[in-house]
Amino acid sequence: MSHDSRSRGRREDLPLRAEINVTSLVDVAFTLLVIFIITAPILQGGIEVGVPRADVAPLTADEEPLIVAVRANGEIVISETVVPYDDFPDVLSQAVTARNVGQIYIRGDSLAYHGDMVRVFARVQDLARQEGIRFAIVAEPDASR
């Protein structure tokens, strides 16, 4: 009997076990879950603006309004797109006509410079008068009242 036949016999005697190691699969699944949990709030969209609190009634709209936001650093955002002030009037009127907007909401950060808010408010008011649409300033309900 040769050396090869002895080693071949030992291999055939051992039972063949076909198992899948799922440890790495579970690690990858948990990693993807953590990534999804972290990125989900970022993907929701919307403009983060800390609107001031006041004694206000809730806004209701039948159609999707156009949201103009003024951030604390003075950036103007129309529907999640940052717009320079020089281009703001043109971009605003294009957005109103393209989307057939019936209402414009102005969301101003409570820390925004008052002059920026007034300039945006004046432009929105002029356009709203020309187009015959409504506009409103957004605020959070005051919980102290």
Side-chain angles (χ1 to χ4, degrees):
M1 187 175 234
S2 72
H3 179 61
D4 291 336
S5 64
R6 274 189 259 150
S7 64
R8 197 175 304 135
R10 286 185 187 161
R11 284 191 205 145
E12 291 172 359
D13 293 343
L14 294 175
L16 182 63
R17 298 177 69 189
E19 294 180 2
I20 298 174
N21 185 2
V22 294
T23 305
S24 59
L25 179 67
V26 171
D27 289 345
V28 170
F30 280 130
T31 303
L32 291 175
L33 179 65
V34 168
I35 290 171
F36 176 73
I37 289 171
I38 291 171
T39 58
I42 297 169
L43 298 177
Q44 284 180 347
I47 306 302
E48 189 66 34
V49 176
V51 294
R53 296 189 177 278
D55 188 15
V56 293
L59 293 172
T60 57
D62 297 332
E63 68 272 345
E64 180 90 14
L66 179 67
I67 297 175
V68 176
V70 180
R71 292 184 175 158
N73 62 1
E75 287 181 331
I76 301 170
V77 182
I78 299 177
S79 296
E80 301 182 19
T81 304
V82 178
V83 177
Y85 181 75
D86 294 337
D87 300 335
F88 173 66
D90 296 330
V91 173
L92 181 66
S93 62
Q94 290 172 3
V96 167
T97 55
R99 295 175 60 188
N100 195 18
V101 173
Q103 190 161 0
I104 300 173
Y105 290 160
I106 303 170
R107 295 183 65 195
D109 195 293
S110 60
L111 299 176
Y113 178 62
H114 181 70
D116 294 336
M117 284 297 300
V118 169
R119 291 188 311 177
V120 168
F121 182 80
R123 293 291 187 176
V124 169
Q125 183 180 18
D126 288 344
L127 182 67
R129 256 193 222 132
Q130 291 171 5
E131 299 290 327
I133 57 178
R134 298 174 297 168
F135 67 96
I137 296 176
V138 177
E140 295 259 341
D142 192 2
S144 66
R145 293 190 180 233

